[in-house]
Amino acid sequence: MQTEVLRVLRAEAQSWWRHREFRRTGDLDEARRQEWQTIRRDLGYLRKALSNPNAYVSCGGGGTILHLGLTSVSLYAPVECFPLACLAVRLGTPLIDCHPDRDIIAFADLPTVTMDGAVDPEPWTSSSQVSLLTYLDAAESLGTRIINDPRIDRAT
């Protein structure tokens, strides 16, 4: 799996227009340096996603977001066009698919997921912080689809 992750990240880095332009103009050293810098950054994002129990990916009509706590990585595209998010999901990060949800206002009013473990007491507002498991329960009640659901492990 490690080789596949690196292969995907390298292909993504090489596809960037800026890196292709360096290659086109003959500046191969700069292209390689920029590509490896991009790969190292994306590996850092993947490590954060796998080490943080409250990290998750969300996708909907507004694109795809990899939520990592104080950092988020987003792209205005479906999850399948966002290799970093695809890798995170393939490696076990939960994915919240908001496409089935038609009440986007209710979804926006959900509390945020805590990244430091501090959970606010009920009643929750959109500025409250809750655990990922509580957030998944609330999101699922609105009709979203959950992939890599960590609650399944909890039930056994």
Side-chain angles (χ1 to χ4, degrees):
M1 188 64 166
Q2 293 173 350
T3 304
E4 184 180 342
V5 168
L6 289 174
R7 187 177 296 133
V8 169
L9 292 179
R10 184 168 187 256
E12 175 68 9
Q14 287 178 339
S15 73
W16 284 28
W17 69 268
R18 186 173 179 206
H19 302 166
R20 283 194 324 258
E21 188 64 19
F22 283 129
R23 287 184 182 283
R24 189 186 68 75
T25 59
D27 196 353
L28 297 178
D29 291 337
E30 182 63 18
R32 285 188 194 107
R33 189 182 70 72
Q34 293 274 337
E35 288 163 5
W36 281 109
Q37 184 178 7
T38 300
I39 290 167
R40 281 193 300 272
R41 181 201 64 207
D42 288 351
L43 278 173
Y45 290 146
L46 280 175
R47 284 187 189 109
K48 278 185 184 179
L50 297 176
S51 65
N52 186 339
N54 287 327
Y56 65 99
V57 175
S58 64
C59 68
T64 303
I65 304 171
L66 175 59
H67 301 270
L68 302 169
L70 298 176
T71 304
S72 64
V73 184
S74 62
L75 185 69
Y76 187 71
V79 70
E80 56 270 8
C81 296
F82 190 7
L84 184 61
C86 279
L87 285 171
V89 171
R90 286 187 63 193
L91 295 171
T93 303
L95 168 69
I96 302 171
D97 183 1
C98 305
H99 287 104
D101 181 19
R102 297 290 175 228
D103 190 359
I104 200 66
I105 301 299
F107 189 77
D109 285 339
L110 288 177
T112 59
V113 175
T114 183
M115 293 297 166
D116 61 2
V119 176
D120 293 333
E122 289 189 54
W124 296 307
T125 64
S126 60
S127 60
S128 300
Q129 292 192 340
V130 297
S131 72
L132 178 62
L133 300 178
T134 304
Y135 184 80
L136 292 175
D137 290 337
E140 196 171 49
S141 72
L142 295 175
T144 62
R145 199 170 52 121
I146 312 295
I147 298 170
N148 292 338
D149 194 340
R151 298 171 299 174
I152 293 171
D153 296 337
R154 183 178 65 171
T156 57

